[in-house]
Amino acid sequence: MTRKNRRLMFGALGLSALFGATALVLLALQENMMFFRSPSDLASGSVNLERAIRLGGLVEPGSVVKSDGNAEVTFRITDGQASIQVDYRGILPDLFREGQGVIVEGRMSPSGQFAADEVLAKHDENYMPKEVADALKEGGHWKGEESATQ
């Protein structure tokens, strides 16, 4: 084996190892990535419901129901075209209100409701999560100014 062939072989092995490591990193990241979806995306059925997702939209006015004895809350999230019922057990953020933008993280249950593990509310009166604003703009229900998103 000549020197040139040996260098080519080591180069090919190095590239193979680099591609293998990159593939493993991307595979690990894909399993942990959580994608943002709107209620319309879930209603269309184009979403893999077995994975954890972020669901964003506006809390539908009049839909928040809190249980008396425990910290269970149900509410609906809408993007103007579709709405999804969300079940959450825990303490809601202080800024959680009807008609405000929220993002919930969790999974769809077999009964068709979204079981949230975490609820994220906007942090000031001028902020709307970019994903929620984009979903509302696509649905034609955006009422805020372009400068409201960050």
Side-chain angles (χ1 to χ4, degrees), residues 54-106:
R54 287 181 158 201
L55 175 67
L58 300 175
V59 178
E60 200 170 275
S63 68
V64 178
V65 178
K66 296 178 181 178
S67 64
D68 292 333
N70 49 28
E72 289 186 31
V73 180
T74 60
F75 55 94
R76 297 186 69 79
I77 291 181
T78 183
D79 61 355
Q81 297 176 345
S83 64
I84 299 289
Q85 180 159 347
V86 176
D87 294 332
Y88 176 66
R89 185 182 188 107
I91 298 172
L92 290 171
D94 291 338
L95 299 173
F96 178 86
R97 289 186 206 106
E98 294 179 354
Q100 298 293 323
V102 294
I103 293 179
V104 294
E105 295 177 356

Side-chain angles (χ1 to χ4, degrees), residues 34-39 41 47 52-57 102-104 129-136:
M34 194 176 301
F35 296 102
F36 175 82
R37 300 294 180 189
S38 68
D41 292 339
V47 177
I53 59 171
R54 287 181 158 201
L55 175 67
V102 294
I103 293 179
V104 294
K130 183 180 182 321
E131 295 90 353
V132 174
D134 291 343
L136 291 173

